[in-house]
């Protein structure tokens, strides 16, 4: 994570089969210099497809996140749909 770009917070969560519990969440700081604002869906998918950093590809990170959320009983349908659509085409590479 980019240092200072997220604020940790304890928030209530509901986990299937477990019930309500307190969870550590990281909330984006919109006042951070690296906050990029809102993008439309096509722009998000394009960034996901070509994103790659020192620790790997964005698509791999998002896929692992979707898998872990599903396995923990807390699926994120929006993130899963973005991943599905981003994987529908060959990944773009940074130039």
């Amino acid at each position: 994570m980019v240092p200072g770009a997220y604020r940790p917070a304890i928030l209530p969560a509901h986990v299937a089969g477990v019930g309500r519990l307190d969870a550590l969440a990281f909330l984006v700081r919109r006042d951070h210099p690296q906050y990029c604002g809102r993008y439309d869906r096509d722009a998000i998918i394009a960034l996901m497809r070509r994103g790659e950093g020192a620790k790997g590809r964005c698509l791999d990170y998002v896929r692992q996140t979707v898998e872990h959320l599903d396995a923990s009983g807390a699926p994120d349908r929006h993130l899963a749909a973005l991943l599905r659509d981003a994987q529908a085409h060959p990944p773009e590479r940074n130039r």
Side-chain angles (χ1 to χ4, degrees), residues 13-24:
H14 180 81
V15 177
V18 176
R20 188 199 173 281
L21 51 83
D22 289 334
L24 175 61

Side-chain angles (χ1 to χ4, degrees), residues 2-5 29-37:
V2 175
R29 287 189 44 221
R30 293 187 173 137
D31 63 335
H32 192 274
Q34 290 188 324
Y35 176 68
C36 61

Side-chain angles (χ1 to χ4, degrees), residues 58-77 79-81 83-84 87:
C58 180
L59 283 177
D60 294 334
Y61 172 78
V62 175
R63 180 185 46 76
Q64 291 171 4
T65 300
V66 167
E67 289 172 358
H68 287 288
L69 288 171
D70 288 348
S72 70
D76 184 325
R77 290 181 187 94
L79 189 60
L83 177 62
R84 182 191 64 241
Q87 290 178 322

Side-chain angles (χ1 to χ4, degrees), residues 43-59 90-95:
I44 293 169
I45 290 170
L47 289 169
M48 286 173 62
R49 290 177 57 215
R50 72 173 180 261
E52 189 168 350
K55 296 190 179 197
R57 297 176 54 227
C58 180
L59 283 177
E92 299 173 9
R93 293 291 182 186
N94 290 331
R95 295 176 193 169

